[in-house]
């Protein structure tokens, strides 16, 4: 079981808005910022969002992040077929003294 | 351009040992904390270990603590992972990862392509 909890799957049609949640605890999300990664099969994971809601250069503004208490969310608006991928949240856990990932959410564009 | 190239992945029997290497280029290696992250077949990403710039501080996931040792040689721009007493659950693609501090927070900004470790009898 992952320390951070994500739904295993999410889906939407092109143009729709989809939200992926990431639930943790006071020792991780509650005390630290959250990063999000996009992972396409056969490629290296790519940073999508850092420090809760900061987009790296090159990431479209269709992607947005937020955090409240011990939960974080990644929202994708104007869904496109190329958004089909696995998405992971990650943060530092103060109790475990290590980075923790969510279990990953497989996004399907219908 | 940042480049991280892992090597050393093999098929090894349970209880065996393996040493992974990561050759880094395109950035000042000594300035950055480095990590190993793995992905088992059909599973999600799992952070394994980190080592700070000078090697003085290391952290490990509970699943590998006492069996894996991370190290680095800044003169060779290289990162290593010594894996002992390997278990079938250690079967995974192992990524070498660089982190960066930005907006007062850290994130993984560069990943290698991974090296495959298979633990099987």
């Amino acid at each position: 079981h992952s320390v951070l909890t994500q739904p295993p799957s999410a889906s939407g049609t092109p143009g729709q808005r989809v939200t992926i949640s990431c639930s943790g605890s006071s020792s991780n999300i509650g005390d630290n910022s959250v990063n999000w990664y996009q992972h396409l099969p056969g490629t290296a994971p790519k940073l999508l969002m850092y420090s809760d809601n900061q987009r790296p250069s090159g990431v479209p503004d269709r992607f947005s992040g937020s955090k409240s208490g011990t939960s974080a969310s990644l929202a994708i608006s104007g869904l496109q077929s190329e958004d089909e991928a696995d998405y992971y949240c990650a943060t530092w856990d103060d109790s475990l003294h290590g980075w923790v990932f969510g279990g990953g959410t497989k996004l399907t564009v219908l | 351009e940042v480049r991280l190239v892992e090597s050393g992945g093999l098929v090894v029997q349970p209880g065996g040992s393996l040493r992974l290497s990561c050759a880094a280029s395109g950035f000042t290696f000594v300035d950055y904390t480095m990590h190993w992250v793995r992905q088992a077949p059909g599973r999600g990403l799992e952070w394994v270990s980190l080592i700070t710039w000078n090697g003085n501080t290391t952290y490990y996931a509970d699943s590998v603590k006492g069996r894996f040792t991370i190290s680095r040689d800044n003169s060779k721009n290289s990162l290593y992972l010594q894996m002992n007493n390997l278990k079938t659950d250690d079967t995974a693609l192992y990524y070498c990862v660089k982190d960066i501090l930005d907006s007062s927070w850290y994130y993984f900004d560069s990943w290698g392509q991974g090296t495959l470790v298979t633990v099987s009898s």
Side-chain angles (χ1 to χ4, degrees):
Chain A
H1 289 296
S2 302
V3 172
L4 306 181
T5 301
Q6 296 180 234
S9 63
S11 63
T13 56
Q16 268 191 331
R17 184 176 188 271
V18 169
T19 300
I20 298 172
S21 62
C22 176
S23 178
S25 68
S26 58
S27 65
N28 43 66
I29 295 178
D31 201 36
N32 297 295
S33 294
V34 176
N35 305 326
W36 290 89
Y37 299 89
Q38 179 189 58
H39 193 196
L40 294 160
T43 69
K46 170 191 168 185
L47 179 71
L48 207 58
M49 197 74 54
Y50 66 96
S51 197
D52 301 332
N53 54 18
Q54 300 299 302
R55 264 189 322 274
S57 59
V59 174
D61 58 6
R62 302 186 294 106
F63 293 88
S64 62
S66 64
K67 190 186 88 168
S68 178
T70 59
S71 293
S73 293
L74 175 73
I76 310 171
S77 60
L79 202 59
Q80 299 180 4
S81 58
E82 56 260 39
D83 298 333
E84 192 160 282
D86 295 323
Y87 292 83
Y88 295 89
C89 56
T91 189
W92 178 262
D93 192 292
D94 297 332
S95 296
L96 296 175
H97 299 290
W99 284 87
V100 290
F101 283 95
T105 299
K106 185 177 184 62
L107 175 63
T108 301
V109 181
L110 302 168
Chain B
E1 178 196 0
V2 172
R3 195 152 183 257
L4 300 169
V5 180
E6 304 92 338
S7 61
L10 283 175
V11 178
V12 61
Q13 290 189 337
S17 297
L18 206 56
R19 189 196 197 204
L20 305 184
S21 299
C22 170
S25 60
F27 64 103
T28 306
F29 183 71
V30 68
D31 284 350
Y32 295 93
T33 292
M34 298 295 295
H35 305 254
W36 288 99
V37 174
R38 69 184 181 183
Q39 183 175 33
R43 305 288 297 273
L45 298 173
E46 180 188 16
W47 174 82
V48 174
S49 181
L50 75 80
I51 185 167
T52 53
W53 68 275
N54 58 4
N56 283 352
T57 299
T58 59
Y59 289 110
Y60 298 91
D62 285 345
S63 57
V64 307
K65 205 171 292 183
R67 301 186 300 121
F68 291 10
T69 302
I70 191 172
S71 62
R72 64 191 296 163
D73 185 337
N74 289 336
S75 69
K76 296 182 179 178
N77 289 346
S78 292
L79 176 72
Y80 306 101
L81 185 68
Q82 178 65 41
M83 310 164 68
N84 296 333
N85 190 19
L86 282 160
K87 305 176 180 181
T88 54
D89 285 349
D90 296 319
T91 294
L93 186 65
Y94 285 74
Y95 293 100
C96 170
V97 182
K98 168 186 168 291
D99 82 10
I100 193 168
L101 175 64
D102 192 349
S103 299
S104 302
W105 185 239
Y106 295 90
Y107 55 86
F108 304 144
D109 72 321
S110 299
W111 301 62
Q113 288 302 308
T115 187
L116 183 62
V117 173
T118 303
V119 184
S120 174
S121 54

